[in-house]
Amino acid sequence: MKNLENVQTGRLSTERREFLKKSGAMALMSAFGVSFFTSCSSDDDTPNRPNDPPAPSTGISVQGSEITVNLAEATALASSGGWALVSAARVLIVNVGENNFNALTSVCTHARCDNSWQFANNVFTCTCHGSRFSTDGTVINGPALQPLRSFPTELDGNTLKVNFG
């Protein structure tokens, strides 16, 4: 009777083991990218450096169901045609001119995308599937069929408030 199993045993040389370790690590880094292996670092890993400047303020804060915008700091919104996507609240804000602002949900009524927006020529475009909306949320062209929900805004001096609740 013929033995169908061919079993070989042995040990890899130290040089061969080192080569396989290094080439395996290189293959993983190539497949996932170096950022995959470094992305889990945290600020706790670095010592406190008192001379680091504080992070700049965006001028936009979200508390509960209210967005507060300091237009002196949020300069993109301070002028007509300026806009912002407030991801934490899933809200688009646009300055439509003459101290008037519109606030709309950033959740597209077509496929529920909420972070993929462009704004040009007074038109919001959801870049997921190309639906286009006017600054008041009306559908200009689909595939979306329903308008974007709008939220009340209130301007008091340089402070804009949006109630999205």
Side-chain angles (χ1 to χ4, degrees):
M1 181 165 22
K2 195 177 198 181
N3 185 356
L4 297 178
E5 287 186 11
N6 183 9
V7 178
Q8 294 181 336
T9 61
R11 296 183 56 84
L12 293 174
S13 69
T14 305
E15 294 84 17
R16 183 74 175 152
R17 260 188 253 139
E18 287 301 313
F19 169 78
L20 290 174
K21 280 184 192 176
K22 289 179 183 175
S23 63
M26 293 302 282
L28 282 173
M29 284 187 195
S30 296
F32 292 107
V34 175
S35 62
F36 175 83
F37 295 97
T38 60
S39 65
C40 292
S41 66
S42 70
D43 291 339
D44 295 339
D45 296 342
T46 57
N48 290 338
R49 294 178 287 196
N51 294 333
D52 285 350
S57 171
T58 63
I60 300 173
S61 63
V62 178
Q63 288 206 317
S65 61
E66 186 173 80
I67 301 170
T68 303
V69 180
N70 178 340
L71 295 171
E73 291 180 49
T75 56
L77 275 170
S79 59
S80 180
W83 72 288
L85 166 62
V86 184
S87 296
R90 298 172 113 187
V91 171
L92 296 164
I93 303 172
V94 61
N95 183 333
V96 293
E98 298 180 22
N99 291 325
N100 292 308
F101 294 84
N102 288 342
L104 310 165
T105 181
S106 69
V107 180
C108 181
T109 57
H110 168 246
R112 314 286 302 151
C113 292
D114 71 338
N115 264 338
S116 300
W117 292 94
Q118 292 179 343
F119 183 71
N121 301 319
N122 288 321
V123 174
F124 283 107
T125 303
C126 176
T127 58
C128 287
H129 299 106
S131 294
R132 298 174 65 223
F133 302 87
S134 68
T135 57
D136 68 359
T138 305
V139 177
I140 295 172
N141 66 285
L145 300 174
Q146 300 295 316
L148 297 175
R149 182 176 166 208
S150 63
F151 303 110
T153 64
E154 180 183 324
L155 182 64
D156 182 13
N158 271 346
T159 302
L160 174 68
K161 293 198 183 257
V162 177
N163 183 340
F164 64 95

